[in-house]
Amino acid sequence: MTVTAPVPRLVDQFERGLDAPICLTWELTYACNLSCVHCLSSSGKRDPRELTTRQCMDIIDELERMQVFYVNIGGGEPTVRSDFWELVDYATAHHVGVKFSTNGVRITEEVAAKLAASDYVDVQISLDGATAEVNDAVRGPGSFAMATRALENLRAAGFTDAKISVVVTRHNVDQLNDFKALADAYGATLRITRLRPSGRGADVWDELHPTPAQQVQLYDWLVAHGERVLTGDSFFHLSGLGEPGALAGLNLCGAGRVVCLIDPVGDVYACPFAIHDTFLAGNILTDNGFQSVWQNSELFRELREPQSAGACGSCGHYDACRGGCMAAKFFTGLPLDGPDPECVQGYGEPALALDRDKPKPSVDHSRSGGRTPKGPIPLTLLSAPPKKFCNESPV
């Protein structure tokens, strides 16, 4: 009689890491025409060490060899790079699909028509309020109109299934139904993500992150609407509120296992929300390329080892939430083997009440002279990276 070995659970395979990431986030530039108060990468100024077009193409060639299905391009505002569309075309021609996040500044009627003609490009428009009043308080005056104009251009061009990306805060959690209605009106899909205390988000997390009551409200809404809303792995910390599997998405921190970040200068971090030297795995230019960093980094090897439940080991909900988000704990000064700061069982609040040293991000490209510009700035693209840091808008 032949005995068939049990097939490992998918989550167990993810925990040990994969040969290539499922979700690779690539920030092409730190330059941005906005200064969102919660920007995870503290964007604003362009870095003069930004990877060249040829270096970016070399990365795409490597991703093709690794059979990376798609790359999630962000920033900063990625479309302000003068070679952005060239890189998008190069990626899709080399079998690497592109999903890019934008505030909409360059999604003109002509660009929307070009995007509608492609089968390998997905567009994600960022909005943090279903009304201008709520959105513009976070993203800057005029940003709501700019984003909705981009969505209108995409709809008019026949682009199907754009994404509206929302970071949930205590000021917009009551607008979830309005966000869904807005997405439906534009023929788009709603994607909601968690506010992390990363980048500039660390400065506003205390006043913007949802209250415990709002966390329950969010959970209930996701259970009711989750099948039609994208969340990725944003809200697995909420899993302790219900039955295992009640929420869609991966209930596991994928940092260094199935996700990572490439930044504008080629540094590779374990997670897009953990831009700090503690989570720096290597550099593409100095460590023999992305594949070498992904497969050989000492940091990634450590993250793929079985993790201790630590202080959460005695909690009956640990298997559901797995201790929560690594970046959220790190940037609020909590131990990585302790509870998530937004632990739905209430264990995070006493930990936050203690004296803590809160690490600062290792990079900050915020423009000086105030973080909130007076509004979206007219587009004047640079043809090459600057020779020095610039405090002016990149566009």
Side-chain angles (χ1 to χ4, degrees), residues 306-389:
Q307 303 295 310
S308 167
C312 295
S314 60
C315 178
H317 299 280
Y318 176 76
D319 286 341
C321 79
R322 308 300 287 258
C325 173
M326 176 183 75
K329 289 186 274 191
F330 181 78
F331 284 115
T332 52
L334 300 184
L336 297 185
D337 63 351
D340 187 287
E342 293 180 300
C343 170
V344 294
Q345 297 302 313
Y347 297 120
E349 295 174 62
L352 290 172
L354 301 175
D355 289 334
R356 294 163 286 127
D357 290 326
K358 294 188 284 188
K360 294 294 184 183
S362 297
V363 296
D364 189 342
H365 290 79
S366 303
R367 292 190 295 276
S368 61
R371 287 179 170 173
T372 305
K374 295 180 180 179
I377 301 165
L379 185 67
T380 307
L381 284 177
L382 300 177
S383 59
K387 294 180 180 179
K388 61 181 181 179
F389 286 103

Side-chain angles (χ1 to χ4, degrees), residues 161-183:
D161 199 26
K163 307 298 184 293
I164 295 179
S165 182
V166 176
V167 177
V168 179
T169 70
R170 69 181 55 177
H171 300 301
N172 67 20
V173 71
D174 290 330
Q175 295 186 319
L176 291 172
N177 286 329
D178 297 327
F179 281 121
K180 186 65 174 64
L182 195 64

